């Protein structure tokens, strides 16, 4: 099994799109951080942002790294669906005909990739926050103290997004379809459901992730009662990934590769 | 002992029966040609053999077990399939590295197989920029990674230039001379005839014939076509030697069941003027045409290959134990 996970990690490393997703995710997080830092220093109160340099502010800024969750989601989808897209699934299944194990390895590798995405985004956000605030005014932009509170949840959430993506990829197997469905649901569909039915909304992937990752801090500050406790949120997100993958495996194992 | 045993294999895609109760063996140390026109069910059979497609009925065993139950499939079977692909941004070396890692094969082997197929110089380049021939070589390198005892190749000559084809032919011969079993599919019968020891001929998903190539081609008796201004006299001469000849046109006779070695001395002895004499028959194509024309169930689509013609296409002697329908 470790052999298969290592092979999946090698596939991710030797694919250009992985690095593009990693970089774009981290840069997006960095841009968001720069925006917030600049806005905080000029119009903090009007923007409804916590006081610059406060504990809440640091968590908010560092938590912006969480945007890379969506990039980890896409990387996870491509890890499975990309193989069908390029026909490499044939040689993968030739070498490991136990397809369930292949998909399991992909879930694991996508989770690890997600963790790396989160770490990269945080590194960029920390540097950008320091750099931007140094340009603005001294010493307040150090968000490193927020790491113990933010990092574990954020890394876990991004990792689980990777797993969830791989599960979706196994289920849908068409990479364009899977990316479009996953992103449009995560970015648009979920907030619509949450607005209409908050009781249902909290069980959805994004809200589940929010319950223990950074954005949660902001959420809880805003006093949202419609949120799962962090561990339940983690389990819910993991369940999405695994159940998508299970259905995917059941169909993938049965289906002909022609 | 046979390396591959296919038994009453059947695969239906909805209403299409791609493979129909097909049975054959593949022996070690020989190149077996898996031949038949497009749509005959070759690819489907090979993919079932490799665990990629589930059979509707029947079995295809490798060393006595189903592909899915092989412990180290890459060390037992190497495959080159038509629709398998490469990630375009991955280099040839990385592609092989990925497969080697999955199979638990050392990375050292990657450079060996790259050298074997002549891709060492371009190993670091992204496969997206490879020509069809280079991709085929990379597929072969992938198949050879595990040093397998059985090679399964689906139309490997596709996309290769003449040098590539002759290189491939040499490689297949060399691999089988090491005692490996090589199963290679092709819709180009004449091309395949130059490489294979044994043939398995399919048409419309059914077995048309199988056995050693020499034995099969030997079964089909050829004919001699003679252009002569003395057709009538020649017909009499041939009849005197027990050979029946019919007119193809007013100055062309076709002597069925004859060879130039028989006809030549006769015309010389009798002083018959001959403008042209050609022999036909006894080729794999004739075997195929004879077989597919003879049975009602076996005529596959596109059964008329190039060089078909041949009125009353050659006789198929009965009694061939492996003949089916
Ligand atoms: N996935 C599939 N779905 C439906 N029909 C198929 C599929 N694969 C092959 N076929 C049909 O099965 C028959 C045999 O195809 P194939 O095995 O590719 O033949 P060959 O490789 O000898 O050209 C053809 O009629 C083809 O259209
Ligand atoms: Mg084919």
């Amino acid at each position: 099994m470790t052999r298969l996970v290592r092979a999946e990690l090698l596939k991710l490393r030797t694919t250009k799109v992985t690095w593009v997703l990693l970089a774009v995710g981290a840069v997006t997080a960095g841009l968001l951080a720069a925006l917030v830092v600049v806005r905080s220093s000029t119009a903090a109160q009007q923007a409804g942002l916590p006081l610059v340099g406060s504990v809440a502010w640091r968590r908010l800024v560092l938590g912006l790294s969480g945007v890379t969750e969506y990039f980890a989601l896409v990387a996870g989808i491509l890890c499975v669906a990309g193989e069908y897209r390029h026909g490499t699934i044939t040689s993968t299944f030739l070498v490991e005909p136990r397809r369930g194990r292949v998909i399991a390895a992909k879930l694991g590798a996508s989770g690890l990739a997600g963790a790396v995405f989160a770490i990269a985004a945080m590194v960029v956000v920390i540097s950008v926050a320091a750099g931007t605030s140094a340009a603005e005014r001294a010493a307040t932009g150090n968000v490193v103290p927020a790491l113990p509170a933010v990092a574990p949840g954020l890394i876990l959430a991004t990792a689980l997004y990777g797993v969830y993506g791989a599960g979706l990829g196994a289920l849908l197997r068409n990479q364009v379809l899977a990316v479009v469905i996953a992103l449009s649901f995560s970015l648009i569909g979920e907030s619509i459901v949450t607005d209409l039915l908050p009781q249902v909304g909290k069980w959805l992937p994004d809200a589940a992730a929010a319950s223990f990752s950074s954005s949660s801090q902001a959420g809880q500050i805003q006093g949202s009662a419609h949120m799962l406790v962090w561990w339940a949120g983690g389990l819910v997100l993991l369940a999405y990934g695994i159940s998508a993958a299970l259905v995917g495996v059941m169909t993938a194992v049965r289906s002909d590769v022609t | 002992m046979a390396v591959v045993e296919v038994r009453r294999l059947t695969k239906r895609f909805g209403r299409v029966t791609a493979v129909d109760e097909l049975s054959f063996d593949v022996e070690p140390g020989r190149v077996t040609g898996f031949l038949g026109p497009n749509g005959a069910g070759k690819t489907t059979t090979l993919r079932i053999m490799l665990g990629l497609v589930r059979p509707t009925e029947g079995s295809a065993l490798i060393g006595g077990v189903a592909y899915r139950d092989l412990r180290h499939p890459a060390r037992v079977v190497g495959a080159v399939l038509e629709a398998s692909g490469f990630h375009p941004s991955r280099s040839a070396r990385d592609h092989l590295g990925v497969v080697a890692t999955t199979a638990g094969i050392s990375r050292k082997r990657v450079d060996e197989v790259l050298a074997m197929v002549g891709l060492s110089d371009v190993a670091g380049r992204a496969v997206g920029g490879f020509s069809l021939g280079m991709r085929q070589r990379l597929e072969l390198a992938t198949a050879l990674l595990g040093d397998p005892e059985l090679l399964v190749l689906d139309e490997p000559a596709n996309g290769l230039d003449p040098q590539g084809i002759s290189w491939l032919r040499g490689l297949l011969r060399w691999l089988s001379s090491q005692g490996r079993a090589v199963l290679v599919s092709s819709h180009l019968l004449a091309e395949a005839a130059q490489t294979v020891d044994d043939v398995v001929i399919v048409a419309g998903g059914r077995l048309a014939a199988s056995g050693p190539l020499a034995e099969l081609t030997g079964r089909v008796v050829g004919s001699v076509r003679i252009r002569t201004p003395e057709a009538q006299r020649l017909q009499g001469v041939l009849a005197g030697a027990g050979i029946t000849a019919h007119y193809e046109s007013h100055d062309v006779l076709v002597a069925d069941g004859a060879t130039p070695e028989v006809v030549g001395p006769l015309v010389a002895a009798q002083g018959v003027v001959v403008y042209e004499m050609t022999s036909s028959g006894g080729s794999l194509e004739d075997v195929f045409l004879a077989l597919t024309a003879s049975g009602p169930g076996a005529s596959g689509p596109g059964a008329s290959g190039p060089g078909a013609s041949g009125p009353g296409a050659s006789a198929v002697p009965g009694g061939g134990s492996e003949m089916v329908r």
Side-chain angles (χ1 to χ4, degrees):
Chain A
M1 199 62 211
T2 49
R3 159 179 71 87
L4 292 178
V5 175
R6 280 200 307 135
E8 290 305 327
L9 291 173
L10 180 61
K11 285 179 198 172
L12 287 169
R13 286 211 311 275
T14 53
T15 309
K16 212 189 286 168
V17 67
T18 312
W19 298 103
V20 172
L21 287 169
L22 176 77
V24 176
V27 167
T28 308
L31 286 176
L32 288 175
L35 211 71
V36 168
V37 171
V38 169
R39 235 176 122 63
S40 306
S41 55
T42 55
Q45 268 63 39
Q46 295 96 304
L49 291 167
L51 208 62
V52 182
S54 67
V55 171
W57 184 85
R58 286 193 185 123
R59 289 184 179 179
L60 173 81
V61 172
L62 186 58
L64 293 168
S65 315
V67 74
T68 201
E69 284 163 1
Y70 301 115
F71 295 86
L73 172 67
V74 173
I77 289 172
L78 297 189
C79 174
V80 184
E83 287 230 44
Y84 282 91
R85 163 76 179 75
H86 295 294
T88 49
I89 196 70
T90 302
S91 67
T92 301
F93 283 162
L94 279 179
V95 179
E96 182 48 86
R98 289 169 294 183
R99 299 183 189 177
R101 290 166 61 99
V102 171
I103 303 295
K106 284 179 178 293
L107 295 184
S110 299
L112 289 173
V116 173
F117 275 42
I119 291 166
M122 284 191 287
V123 167
V124 170
V125 164
I126 288 168
S127 334
V128 166
T132 314
S133 53
E136 293 281 323
R137 95 177 91 121
T140 51
N142 181 11
V143 296
V144 173
L147 271 178
V150 172
L154 200 140
I155 291 174
L156 184 65
T158 317
L160 290 178
Y161 257 98
V163 175
Y164 170 50
L168 277 180
L171 182 62
L172 298 172
R173 272 173 274 161
N174 177 318
Q175 64 177 23
V176 177
L177 189 74
V179 168
V180 169
I181 288 180
L183 287 186
S184 55
F185 187 73
S186 268
L187 299 174
I188 307 162
E190 197 171 322
S191 56
I192 295 173
V193 175
T194 308
D195 280 351
L196 299 177
L197 303 161
Q199 281 309 319
V200 176
K202 71 177 178 183
W203 294 96
L204 299 178
D206 236 22
S211 74
F212 60 96
S213 76
S214 61
S215 24
S216 67
Q217 320 299 348
Q220 270 145 17
I221 288 157
Q222 281 157 23
S224 167
H226 300 298
M227 185 120 343
L228 298 168
V229 285
W230 67 270
W231 55 267
L235 287 178
V236 165
L237 192 51
L238 185 62
Y240 274 112
I242 302 230
S243 48
L246 276 181
V247 180
V249 165
M250 284 191 299
T251 52
V253 166
R254 300 200 64 82
S255 62
D256 292 341
V257 180
T258 54
Chain B
M1 196 201 98
V3 178
V4 176
E5 294 165 316
V6 174
R7 291 293 174 269
R8 300 181 67 86
L9 195 66
T10 301
K11 175 66 183 183
R12 282 185 283 271
F13 292 107
R15 303 184 61 186
V16 179
T17 302
V19 182
D20 197 359
E21 303 225 335
L22 185 61
S23 301
F24 64 88
D25 286 350
V26 177
E27 305 290 339
R30 299 177 73 84
V31 179
T32 302
F34 188 33
L35 313 174
N38 287 321
K42 304 182 296 296
T43 298
T44 305
T45 303
L46 298 182
R47 285 190 169 254
I48 292 172
M49 197 181 286
L50 298 167
L52 296 169
V53 169
R54 293 167 88 88
T56 310
E57 272 162 62
S59 63
L61 301 184
I62 292 166
V65 298
Y67 191 89
R68 279 164 203 247
D69 298 326
L70 291 172
R71 285 267 180 75
H72 299 287
R75 296 181 192 279
V76 180
V77 187
V80 174
L81 293 175
E82 270 182 316
S84 70
F86 305 103
H87 200 290
S89 74
R90 205 171 278 149
S91 72
R93 182 176 281 114
D94 282 339
H95 167 79
L96 290 166
V98 162
V99 177
T101 307
T102 312
I105 293 166
S106 89
R107 296 292 288 268
K108 200 179 79 213
R109 178 76 183 151
V110 168
D111 289 315
E112 283 174 29
V113 294
L114 279 167
M116 242 184 243
V117 301
L119 285 180
S120 301
D121 293 344
V122 294
R125 272 170 45 187
V127 179
F130 276 24
S131 70
L132 211 55
M134 288 159 85
R135 281 164 198 257
Q136 279 291 42
R137 284 169 188 259
L138 184 53
E139 290 259 22
L140 273 163
T142 313
L144 293 172
L145 261 181
D147 198 15
E149 56 209 71
L150 166 67
L151 280 141
V152 175
L153 307 100
D154 196 9
E155 309 267 1
N158 281 359
L160 290 183
D161 54 19
Q163 286 101 316
I165 289 177
S166 99
W167 167 81
L168 175 70
R169 204 175 278 155
L171 182 71
L172 298 187
R173 293 243 58 92
W174 177 68
L175 290 167
S176 73
S177 73
Q178 296 173 321
R180 296 173 218 261
V182 178
L183 177 62
V184 51
S185 88
S186 178
H187 65 282
L188 302 171
L189 303 178
E191 157 51 42
Q194 303 182 45
T195 322
V196 305
D197 303 305
D198 296 332
V199 290
V200 173
I201 301 181
V202 285
R206 289 169 167 272
L207 183 69
S210 66
L213 176 67
E215 200 176 285
L216 278 179
T217 49
R219 274 199 226 145
V220 175
V221 183
S223 61
V224 178
R225 185 176 170 279
I226 311 120
R227 191 157 71 88
T228 168
E230 304 176 88
Q232 200 168 3
R233 186 157 85 89
L234 179 58
Q235 195 176 30
V237 168
L238 290 170
I243 298 168
T244 48
H246 63 266
Y247 280 90
E248 190 184 290
S249 63
H250 74 282
D251 65 344
V252 176
L253 279 178
V254 177
D256 290 320
T259 61
E261 287 76 7
V262 174
V263 178
L266 279 173
V267 294
Q270 301 296 324
V272 180
V273 176
V274 166
Y275 294 153
E276 187 183 335
M277 181 156 78
T278 49
S279 72
S280 65
S283 76
L284 200 50
E285 249 148 36
D286 295 302
V287 175
F288 180 75
L289 288 170
L291 289 167
T292 50
S294 61
S299 62
S304 54
S309 62
S314 326
V316 183
S321 57
E322 286 127 334
M323 309 284 279
V324 175
R325 259 163 280 258

